[in-house]
Amino acid sequence: MTPRFAPADSAAIPLHVIEAEALAAWLDGQADHVRRWVAVNGFTGAKGQALLIPGPDGAPEMALAGYASAAQRARHRHVLAAAAQHLPAGTYAIASGLEGQALANECFGWLIAGYGFDRYRDKPAAEPRALVAPNGIDTARIETLAAAECLTRDLINTPSSDMGPAELEGAARALAEEFGAEIAVIEGEALLAQNFPMIHAVGRASTRAPRLIDLHWGDTGPKLTLVGKGVCFDTGGLDLKPAASMALMKKDMGGAATVLGLARSIMALGLPLQLRVLIPAVENAVSGNAFRPGDILTSRKGLTVEINNTDAEGRLVLADALALAAEDQPDLIVSMATLTGAARVAVGADIAPFFTDDETAAAALAHAGPRIADPVWRLPFHAPYELKIEPGIADLDNAPGGGFAGAITAALFLRRFAGPGRYVHFDIYAWSQTSTPARPKGAVVQGARALFDALPAMLSL
């Protein structure tokens, strides 16, 4: 889907967004029939409440959307979307109750609330609840971010049978063609010839060839390189996952999908930078030539890695891609990956933890996350834990034992390959286990809007 605001329409129904505490004051200025209608329908301004008010002729005169209290809003995102889903189909124009960043955030929520993944079922389209773009917001920016959100969700929601390495490459090629970017792909045995041995090792057991996708866009400004984990399905390899753990592994390319959505926003809005997107796209499968526990792999960077668990494969493919990224000496490298269960234990499914040594980047992200309702949280590159990823028999261990600090040790592993430059790593979940307004059960985007909002401060754009 392509989320869009409705064109200006004089027939659009005025929509008043009303905080619970402000309802009485708002009613004081209304006609008697409005006050009576609100009272008889029990509208209080609570989250999720919506009310269509008829005029004297029975036609809709206005609509109300509950905006809850400040304390309740702190516990939810996209509060306007919660009310919008209870409005009848039609075109609405926000008349009062929202301004500034809250207005922009709620309009974004309204647009993505129309998202639905219906590729595999014959489902009639729901009648739209269209919203006229209000004054005071950057319409193009919000529509672009909403389109990026939908692209990322579609890629993650697609089952692995239809979203393998080749299909992920196809999505990147379509994006490159749309925005005039250059793209190159290294596939199969060519990965060995061009020194990407760990990407090859992880993907070689699959009948679907592994590959490295390399997209370039822009020729002026600072250099930004995005690296996304593209494990299109993860069986766990020879350290096979149990069925319950394998059920959601179509989302293990969520990092790749997220950086493609972010790249789309950057290109569509013409940010003045040089963008590179690197996606190691593989399927971690099981066959006679699968890499094994106890193997020692040599990475592109020359560091050797002891394989203590074939289910810790994401950091291996990212390592080769990060090493390539560092060779170009960009101004900033960002990796995004559905990397560790430890990150979910630490912060839950709703927050995207990030790691960085760069205080400018950390401050920009800490400011952007709450501002645009895309929660992120900084976790440490804790140097004393470096010892945990040094097994002795090789330079690095891909799955240190002990059960503690798994997200941190994975991030430290990646930092060894990202080089000495500025680096940010996101360990995302990319999935909503329940349905909430504008975030149906299934794929979600984490960290991308916060990062997009923070980029001007991070790169002095």
Side-chain angles (χ1 to χ4, degrees), residues 133-165:
N135 295 326
I137 65 167
D138 187 336
T139 301
R141 180 187 180 96
I142 293 173
E143 288 182 337
T144 297
L145 291 174
E149 176 103 10
C150 294
L151 169 64
T152 296
R153 289 185 185 185
D154 279 350
L155 293 174
I156 298 171
N157 279 326
T158 301
S160 299
S161 55
D162 293 326
M163 186 51 65

Side-chain angles (χ1 to χ4, degrees), residues 311-398:
D311 196 18
E313 84 300 327
R315 67 201 69 184
L316 302 176
V317 300
L318 287 170
D320 274 356
L322 285 168
L324 174 64
E327 291 165 16
D328 192 40
Q329 297 183 329
D331 296 283
L332 178 66
I333 298 173
V334 179
S335 59
M336 287 194 163
T338 52
L339 203 62
T340 70
R344 311 287 74 76
V345 173
V347 299
D350 200 42
I351 300 171
F354 69 92
F355 299 79
T356 187
D357 289 321
D358 187 88
E359 297 302 324
T360 298
L365 286 166
H367 174 72
R371 194 177 86 87
I372 62 166
D374 186 16
V376 298
W377 195 262
R378 187 184 188 183
L379 293 180
F381 277 130
H382 187 56
Y385 290 168
E386 292 275 4
L387 296 173
K388 294 178 178 293
I389 61 172
E390 296 172 351
I393 191 173
D395 295 317
L396 295 169
D397 182 340
N398 84 317

Side-chain angles (χ1 to χ4, degrees), residues 76-265:
H76 301 278
R77 274 186 271 184
H78 311 311
V79 176
L80 179 58
Q85 66 187 1
H86 298 298
L87 289 169
T91 300
Y92 297 86
I94 296 174
S96 68
L98 289 173
E99 59 185 14
Q101 190 60 44
L103 176 62
N105 289 347
E106 297 296 354
C107 286
F108 172 81
W110 183 298
L111 290 188
I112 64 170
Y115 175 83
F117 187 67
D118 54 9
R119 174 176 173 177
Y120 297 95
R121 56 181 177 172
D122 183 13
K123 180 183 177 182
E127 290 190 71
R129 299 172 183 87
L131 182 67
V132 174
N135 295 326
I137 65 167
D138 187 336
T139 301
R141 180 187 180 96
I142 293 173
E143 288 182 337
T144 297
L145 291 174
E149 176 103 10
C150 294
L151 169 64
T152 296
R153 289 185 185 185
D154 279 350
L155 293 174
I156 298 171
N157 279 326
T158 301
S160 299
S161 55
D162 293 326
M163 186 51 65
E167 290 80 10
L168 190 55
E169 175 190 333
R173 288 192 180 278
L175 201 62
E177 182 177 357
E178 182 178 359
F179 294 102
E182 298 178 359
I183 190 167
V185 177
I186 304 168
E187 179 182 342
E189 297 304 305
L191 289 166
L192 292 176
Q194 298 191 45
N195 193 24
F196 298 97
M198 294 207 296
I199 297 174
H200 180 271
V202 172
R204 72 191 184 203
S206 174
T207 57
R208 302 195 284 184
R211 64 205 68 205
L212 177 66
I213 301 162
D214 189 353
L215 181 150
H216 290 261
W217 174 87
D219 54 13
T220 59
K223 292 182 177 181
L224 169 66
T225 298
L226 304 176
V227 183
K229 174 185 170 184
V231 178
C232 295
F233 193 79
D234 181 17
T235 66
L238 292 176
D239 288 308
L240 194 69
K241 292 178 182 287
S245 299
M246 213 184 296
L248 287 181
M249 283 301 100
K250 70 176 184 179
K251 77 173 185 68
D252 213 19
M253 40 65 72
T258 301
V259 298
L260 286 175
L262 178 57
R264 188 191 191 286
S265 295

